Amino acid sequence: MKKRTIKSPLSKLLTLALFCMLAMGACKSKKKVVAAPEPAPVEEPAPAPAPEQPQPSAEEVAVGKLENYFNSVSNSSNVDAANRTISEAMGMFSNQETPVLIVIHEENGIKDYDEPTTIAKYLNYLKDTKKNLNFISDIRLDNNGRVSELELRRKK
């Protein structure tokens, strides 16, 4: 019977320790649930205003307008319409003798140009051929915002 008495207090002790551990574990988990503070409502920051698109430069605006004029002149249905468009376009230039340079070849930064012409001659050329084969590669404006020089390149 001695063996039983040793086992009995030892088993009672182990059972009691196990019960205490379970009770403590259960209490802690209840405390965690009860004691856990509710998360504060997260306020979403106001949406940032959309970044403003950078305003196009005067050169970019002039290029867009001139490309439209060149296409209108070359695609006009009759001579009168082309002449009206040419008169409108001429208002963008410092004078009728504004140089128009057409790059025909470039190598190592050295440009070869076709025979220089004027804007008046170039616009009439577009009217006569009805083909706009060039695009604006460089533009220079004077102090008044009018085109003082135009450089064109062949479309590929």
Side-chain angles (χ1 to χ4, degrees), residues 1-17:
M1 284 213 160
K2 275 189 171 180
K3 287 184 182 179
R4 250 182 160 197
T5 57
I6 295 173
K7 279 189 177 180
S8 185
L10 186 59
S11 68
K12 285 184 183 179
L13 185 63
L14 286 175
T15 306
L16 184 61

Side-chain angles (χ1 to χ4, degrees), residues 42-47:
V42 178
E43 292 183 27
E44 294 182 22

Side-chain angles (χ1 to χ4, degrees), residues 3 15 18 29 31 35 45-46 52-53 60 66 75 77-78 83-84 96 99 110 113 116 120 126 132 134 136 146:
K3 287 184 182 179
T15 306
L18 182 64
S29 66
K31 285 183 181 178
E52 292 184 28
Q53 297 294 328
E60 291 170 331
L66 286 175
N75 296 327
S77 57
N78 59 48
N83 287 336
R84 280 192 302 274
Q96 290 188 353
I110 300 172
Y113 296 100
L126 290 177
N132 184 12
N134 301 310
I136 299 171
R146 294 179 182 254

